Amino acid sequence: MPVIGSRPDLAVEQAIQLLEQGKATNGRIVLLTDGVEADQAERINKVLKGSNTSLLILAAGTSAGGPIKLPEQGYLKDVGKVVIPKTDFTTLTTLAKQNHGQMLRITL
């Protein structure tokens, strides 16, 4: 992506629009993510509610987390401290199950 940050809710919304444009009656959305915020999960559930579309999540990351390397700039920082994002696999599993899908962890 061209900027730091993520909006998986907007990605799912766009995927639904593409399925609708293609006149799909059933669909599967594969979401590759390292996490979803609570408000984003709510929006995803709202967009998928009542649809015949399942949500499959491929989760990247670890529960312990790790720093984000920036090209030519070291690591991503917030108020001078290195940011260590952690992947919440429980939230991702719940989100997938609520939308007729499953969550799988990406491993080496």
Side-chain angles (χ1 to χ4, degrees), residues 16 19 24-29 51-56 99-100:
I16 287 290
L19 287 167
T25 55
N26 293 312
R28 287 189 195 118
I29 296 172
S51 74
N52 289 327
T53 301
S54 57
L55 179 64
L56 308 170
N99 293 290
H100 316 291

Side-chain angles (χ1 to χ4, degrees), residues 37-72:
E37 300 294 328
D39 61 323
Q40 295 170 339
E42 287 178 29
R43 283 193 288 274
I44 289 169
N45 285 330
K46 186 176 179 181
V47 168
L48 292 175
K49 186 176 182 177
S51 74
N52 289 327
T53 301
S54 57
L55 179 64
L56 308 170
I57 299 176
L58 293 176
T62 67
S63 298
I68 299 172
K69 179 104 170 101
L70 299 175
E72 311 291 327

